[in-house]
């Protein structure tokens, strides 16, 4: 369908979808999508809109404001906005493909991406998001029955691609080689006492900067990552040896049997003995 919004030019289109209760309870779900040609009169300002917006700038430029920050956007950029919060975007002159979506873990996915990389991304040649948006628009345009589970997969694929793009940008902005040295040190010394300060020295970073970059790069704090490595090793030993729980706890770097059991159950919901007896 055509749209009569101010600043939206001829040949633009927008399509709408009413998600099922199943989609709302389980999936990422689509609310609307479109292909817009806009001039400088196109200016959207909202305090709240119950969705998340993914927009691909196919051609042109403009600005977007979110969380009190105004950023320029240009050809080849992606915009990801949490429209539940105050936001605005304005075209200078642009052509965009876009969709509004919600559901599943949209808020957590947005926070993961935004806290790492912000809400404007250059695609660096990736076609995953443009191709996915084109496919969604073709389905809506042809009035084909919308397969909500497949659309959910497409939305998750686009969000995953954004996360990967953002992570690559973070790696390029930091000394990833030195960060890898710290990770290798953990993997080789998980059975010893490891301080975050020691890891920061290996990475040639200040303690605060190292902790922040490590979290953004791996998804874990340094302490969480060390624990994950120790628990993964413990699981292997539980299945492949007859070591006592106490022996095993010290072998993988825990300072007491009780601490190991508590930590193991917290992360797996099983005690070490219960895990050992479970069939794979």
């Amino acid at each position: 369908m055509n749209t009569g919004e101010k600043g939206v030019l001829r040949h633009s289109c927008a399509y709408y979808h009413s998600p099922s209760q199943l989609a709302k309870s389980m999936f990422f779900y689509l609310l609307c999508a479109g292909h817009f040609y806009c001039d400088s009169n196109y200016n959207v300002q909202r305090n709240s809109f119950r969705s998340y917006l993914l927009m691909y700038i196919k051609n042109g430029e403009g600005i977007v404001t979110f969380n009190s920050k105004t950023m320029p956007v240009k050809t080849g950029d992606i915009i990801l906005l949490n429209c539940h919060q105050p936001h605005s975007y304005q075209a200078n002159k642009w052509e965009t493909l876009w969709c509004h979506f919600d559901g599943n873990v949209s808020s957590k996915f947005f926070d993961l991406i935004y806290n790492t990389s912000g809400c404007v991304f250059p695609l660096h040649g990736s076609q995953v998001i443009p191709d996915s948006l084109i496919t969604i628009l073709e389905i809506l345009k042809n009035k084909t029955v919308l397969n909500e589970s497949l659309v959910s997969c497409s939305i998750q694929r686009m969000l995953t691609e954004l996360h990967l793009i953002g992570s690559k940008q973070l790696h390029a902005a930091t000394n990833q080689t030195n960060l890898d040295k710290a990770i290798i040190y953990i993997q080789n010394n998980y059975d010893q006492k490891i301080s975050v300060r020691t890891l920061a020295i290996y990475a040639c970073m200040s303690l605060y900067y190292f902790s922040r970059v490590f979290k953004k790069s791996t998804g874990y704090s340094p302490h969480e990552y060390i624990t994950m490595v120790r628990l993964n090793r413990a699981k292997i030993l539980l299945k492949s040896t007859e070591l006592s729980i106490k022996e095993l706890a010290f072998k993988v770097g825990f300072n007491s049997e009780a601490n190991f059991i508590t930590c193991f159950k917290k992360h797996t919901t099983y005690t070490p003995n219960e895990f050992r007896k479970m069939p794979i």
Side-chain angles (χ1 to χ4, degrees):
M1 61 173 288
N2 292 326
T3 176
E5 286 188 60
K6 184 178 179 180
V8 179
L9 307 179
R10 291 179 58 191
H11 309 304
S12 298
C13 58
Y15 305 97
Y16 298 88
H17 175 67
S18 298
S20 67
Q21 289 302 315
L22 176 64
K24 289 182 178 180
S25 65
M26 293 184 63
F27 300 152
F28 292 102
Y29 56 84
L30 185 70
L31 294 168
C32 54
H35 186 172
F36 275 8
Y37 299 84
C38 302
D39 63 22
S40 58
N41 291 311
Y42 184 65
N43 184 1
V44 176
Q45 298 185 43
R46 303 189 188 97
N47 285 324
S48 180
F49 192 68
R50 294 182 178 179
S51 72
Y52 295 82
L53 171 65
L54 186 64
M55 182 186 294
Y56 167 55
I57 310 298
K58 187 174 182 181
N59 191 31
E61 59 185 21
I63 58 172
V64 58
T65 300
F66 181 78
N67 200 20
S68 300
K69 297 178 182 177
T70 299
M71 296 146 282
V73 292
K74 62 185 184 304
T75 300
D77 283 351
I78 289 287
I79 300 168
L80 179 66
L81 290 176
N82 178 355
C83 296
H84 296 265
Q85 300 178 22
H87 62 281
S88 67
Y89 43 94
Q90 181 176 5
N92 182 356
K93 181 180 179 182
W94 69 26
E95 176 188 358
T96 65
L97 304 173
W98 54 269
C99 73
H100 281 278
F101 67 93
D102 210 332
N104 203 300
V105 288
S106 295
S107 62
K108 292 183 178 179
F109 233 129
F110 175 83
D111 289 344
L112 172 67
I113 295 169
Y114 180 74
N115 291 336
T116 300
S117 310
C119 59
V120 176
F121 310 78
L123 279 182
H124 298 304
S126 171
Q127 284 299 305
V128 170
I129 295 173
D131 288 349
S132 296
L133 288 171
I134 289 170
T135 298
I136 290 172
L137 286 169
E138 284 298 316
I139 293 172
L140 293 170
K141 179 181 178 180
N142 295 327
K143 299 181 180 179
T144 307
V145 175
L146 199 66
N147 187 319
E148 291 182 310
S149 59
L150 291 180
V151 169
S152 178
C153 290
S154 293
I155 293 171
Q156 181 167 352
R157 180 68 185 91
M158 289 190 287
L159 294 173
T160 300
E161 183 71 6
L162 275 184
H163 176 53
L164 292 173
I165 290 170
S167 296
K168 289 176 184 176
Q169 290 175 338
L170 174 67
H171 294 169
T174 60
N175 192 331
Q176 182 63 24
T177 300
N178 286 345
L179 198 61
D180 287 342
K181 289 180 182 178
I183 291 172
I184 292 171
Y185 181 87
I186 294 171
Q187 293 170 344
N188 290 338
N189 297 276
Y190 62 86
D191 57 337
Q192 306 295 320
K193 184 177 181 179
I194 302 175
S195 72
V196 179
R197 187 174 298 280
T198 297
L199 296 176
I201 292 171
Y202 263 84
C204 301
M205 300 176 188
S206 71
L207 182 61
Y208 171 77
Y209 184 67
F210 169 75
S211 297
R212 184 164 61 89
V213 170
F214 193 96
K215 174 78 171 180
K216 288 184 177 181
S217 180
T218 67
Y220 299 93
S221 71
H223 285 300
E224 289 170 340
Y225 191 87
I226 294 167
T227 299
M228 180 196 70
V229 171
R230 286 171 172 165
L231 290 177
N232 286 342
R233 182 57 183 164
K235 290 174 184 178
I236 294 172
L237 293 177
L238 283 167
K239 293 294 188 181
S240 62
T241 74
E242 296 182 358
L243 288 172
S244 69
I245 302 302
K246 183 176 182 178
E247 290 173 321
L248 193 148
F250 285 104
K251 193 172 183 66
V252 298
F254 285 88
N255 57 13
S256 73
E257 180 182 6
N259 187 28
F260 169 61
I261 293 172
T262 299
C263 186
F264 194 95
K265 188 168 184 178
K266 176 183 176 182
H267 285 84
T268 68
T269 72
Y270 301 103
T271 67
N273 273 325
E274 288 171 340
F275 182 86
R276 172 173 265 170
K277 295 173 183 177
M278 288 176 59
I280 296 175

